[in-house]
Amino acid sequence: MAASNRRVLIAGGGPVGLLCAWLLGRRRLPVLVCDDNSELQADPRAATTHPATLDLLEEDGLADDMARVGLVAPIFQFWDRPSGKLVAEFDHAVLKNDTRHPFVVQCEQFKTAKLLLERLHALANVEVLFSHEVIGVTQDADSVSIEVRGSDGLKRHTGTYLIGADGGRSVVRKQSDIAFDGFTWPERFIVFTTPYDFEQKRGYCPRSYFADPGSWCNCFKVSADGPPGLWRTVFPTDPSQPDADLTRDSAVQALMQKFFPSPEPYEVVHRNLYVTHQRVAATFRKGRVLLAGDAAHVNNPIGGMGLNGGIQDAANLCEKLAKVLLEGASEQLLDLYSLQRRTVAIEFVQEQSIANKKRLEASDPEVRRRNLDELRQMAADRERSRAFLLRTAMIASQRRAAALVPPI
Ligand SMILES: Cc1cc2nc3c(=O)[nH]c(=O)nc-3n(C[C@H](O)[C@H](O)[C@H](O)COP(=O)(O)OP(=O)(O)OC[C@H]3O[C@@H](n4cnc5c(N)ncnc54)[C@H](O)[C@@H]3O)c2cc1C
């Protein structure tokens, strides 16, 4: 196949789109990425990168670079907010025979995207167009085209496949008539970022989860612009309260003080509100259109699985797409991509992220006691702890995906 006929189009230059571009570009395939933003977004969303994902990002030292600009965090903790007691602590060291990275790396997603964009600049066969919004998608038996609105007007680009990595509101998914079933949580999730050092002042480790009847908090550290770093606290909101009330100083301080009483008010440098969904696309492939990342699946951020799933999609998809385009492998491989990644999005990421939320917010005293006891017992038993971590570290889902074979 001539190189010009092998061009892959990518809608969305978030971390998943840029990773796809890099994985395909490294294999010398021509790639065009269109992103509607004018530049990379300094987005305070994902940070936690799990062991299974780090194992996929070793090419060209990417995982090492992420650790260099982020933080290595081998341990996470569960706390009980009302009693203030530590419930359980899990150490990824028990996974030393399951992964080359028995720890998570806390690397903000804009840093991962920046590391990828720097690598893309070195590839002459990859073009990244910012300020270019994909507004239309058409395909036939031989090619796929996108209509793109940029500063120079409307343009049409044609390629052999299109990867929709354009986030949860994906135009590619909508234009391809792919359903996105699931539900939206009534409460929104609010993130406060503070320089308050929870580790030094309160003894919390850089990934700490707090259970509270009817509520919860994720408290985690990011390296930000360097030591001493910043801490992000994520809470659910009251669905009946308007945005302006939720982000008002008095409300911010009240929530912080409820979870982390302190004689001083907290310095809060960012406050962000998110609508949160649990949805999976009906298929990750429709002809020449392939979905990856949030365009294919969205979930609540407790456990930090959304972008990890997207990175795992990208690695799975690009390996198969390269085989189809460079080695003449059957397109059925792309159906296998959809089967493997969609199955684990449902069986693992949806299930685990919903279970994580329910465990933290349980309000029935008996259910709470059971949940916290179970965490204590798992942490105290090496084999149970390993089984739990294989799921949270997304190793079990990678193994499940690899074991799925096409239906005959
Ligand atoms: C508070 C919070 C914390 C989180 N923490 C974690 C975590 O610790 N670990 C984790 O794994 N996940 C986490 N997530 C989830 C993670 O942020 C997402 O899964 C991740 O951003 C998905 O990456 P993506 O590249 O698929 O989509 P996005 O990051 O949404 O990127 C999509 C890109 O496409 C562009 N785009 C959209 N439409 C168009 C169009 N029509 N044309 C061109 N471009 C377009 C967008 O501007 C954007 O640049 C968190 C989410 C939240 C809200």
Side-chain angles (χ1 to χ4, degrees):
M1 203 187 278
S4 57
N5 296 340
R6 294 193 304 231
R7 182 163 77 153
V8 177
L9 309 174
I10 299 179
V16 173
L18 294 178
L19 177 60
C20 288
W22 184 59
L23 294 173
L24 296 171
R26 273 172 71 76
R27 292 164 165 107
R28 301 187 188 215
L29 285 162
V31 177
L32 172 68
V33 182
C34 295
D35 191 274
D36 59 352
N37 291 311
S38 56
E39 58 185 353
L40 288 183
Q41 299 297 291
D43 194 332
R45 286 190 284 163
T48 302
T49 313
H50 289 294
T53 311
L54 294 167
D55 286 351
L56 297 172
L57 297 176
E58 288 173 317
E59 268 184 63
D60 195 35
L62 182 57
D64 290 342
D65 281 352
M66 288 168 69
R68 182 175 50 76
V69 297
L71 297 170
V72 172
I75 289 172
F76 64 99
Q77 296 173 333
F78 286 92
W79 293 77
D80 179 35
R81 200 283 304 163
S83 69
K85 289 202 171 124
L86 176 65
V87 175
E89 181 170 287
F90 292 91
D91 187 342
H92 285 88
V94 296
L95 299 180
K96 69 178 188 328
N97 296 324
D98 297 289
T99 169
R100 293 180 295 281
H101 302 87
F103 47 80
V104 307
V105 168
Q106 296 283 101
C107 177
E108 298 96 312
Q109 71 182 69
F110 62 87
K111 291 184 182 168
T112 307
K114 186 164 175 279
L115 290 169
L116 287 163
L117 193 59
E118 283 163 8
R119 283 163 165 80
L120 289 176
H121 289 327
L123 296 175
N125 50 322
V126 177
E127 193 180 1
V128 181
L129 299 177
F130 284 105
S131 301
H132 281 73
E133 182 190 6
V134 175
I135 57 169
V137 177
T138 48
Q139 62 168 311
D140 58 30
D142 303 314
S143 65
V144 57
S145 297
I146 50 175
E147 192 173 4
V148 178
R149 183 166 38 216
S151 47
D152 47 353
L154 287 184
K155 275 202 177 144
R156 177 172 292 271
H157 299 277
T158 299
T160 182
Y161 288 99
L162 165 65
I163 299 177
D166 48 343
R169 295 189 192 134
S170 172
V171 165
V172 172
R173 186 189 65 238
K174 289 178 191 159
Q175 294 244 337
S176 305
D177 269 333
I178 299 174
F180 203 36
D181 289 334
F183 66 90
T184 302
W185 294 102
E187 68 272 44
R188 276 159 306 155
F189 289 26
I190 197 159
V191 184
F192 303 140
T193 307
T194 173
Y196 182 88
D197 190 337
F198 284 99
E199 190 162 30
Q200 200 187 66
K201 297 194 171 140
R202 305 183 76 99
Y204 306 155
C205 81
R207 279 180 76 210
S208 295
Y209 296 93
F210 292 80
D212 189 37
S215 186
W216 48 266
C217 174
N218 279 2
C219 175
F220 59 94
K221 186 176 180 181
V222 290
S223 64
D225 295 331
L230 292 172
W231 289 75
R232 296 212 190 123
T233 52
V234 190
F235 305 91
T237 62
D238 174 349
S240 64
Q241 285 203 302
D243 291 9
D245 289 357
L246 295 167
T247 51
R248 185 177 298 149
D249 280 345
S250 55
V252 173
Q253 293 300 330
L255 199 46
M256 293 294 281
Q257 291 289 346
K258 175 189 167 191
F259 274 80
F260 312 115
S262 159
E264 302 294 324
Y266 282 89
E267 181 185 348
V268 174
V269 293
H270 296 295
R271 48 197 87 178
N272 301 82
L273 256 180
Y274 297 94
V275 177
T276 304
H277 316 265
Q278 303 283 158
R279 294 178 190 276
V280 178
T283 178
F284 290 8
R285 177 187 179 207
K286 194 158 189 181
R288 297 188 168 275
V289 170
L290 299 143
L291 300 179
D294 276 18
H297 45 74
V298 284
N299 55 274
N300 79 67
I302 305 173
M305 298 180 126
L307 177 55
N308 281 270
I311 291 174
Q312 293 172 12
D313 294 343
N316 185 315
L317 172 60
C318 293
E319 190 189 345
K320 292 179 167 65
L321 202 46
K323 281 190 180 147
V324 171
L325 292 172
L326 296 172
E327 298 169 24
S330 161
E331 279 195 309
Q332 283 176 352
L333 266 187
L334 304 177
D335 292 325
L336 182 59
Y337 159 70
S338 179
L339 174 74
Q340 291 179 330
R341 294 303 309 162
R342 188 170 179 276
T343 302
V344 299
I346 294 168
E347 287 181 2
F348 284 80
V349 177
Q350 293 297 315
E351 202 187 298
Q352 182 81 44
S353 58
I354 293 171
N356 287 345
K357 180 171 180 292
K358 289 195 181 310
R359 176 169 40 226
L360 294 182
E361 72 190 6
S363 51
D364 180 275
E366 182 51 26
V367 176
R368 287 194 90 236
R369 192 190 56 72
R370 257 204 327 267
N371 287 346
L372 301 185
D373 279 352
E374 193 191 11
L375 285 170
R376 273 185 208 103
Q377 286 157 13
M378 282 194 299
D381 177 324
R382 194 178 166 83
E383 261 324 293
R384 288 191 67 194
S385 176
R386 176 173 165 263
F388 179 62
L389 285 165
L390 283 173
R391 281 183 76 84
T392 62
M394 300 180 80
I395 295 171
S397 58
Q398 280 290 88
R399 290 178 181 169
R400 167 82 172 121
L404 283 164
V405 291
I408 299 168

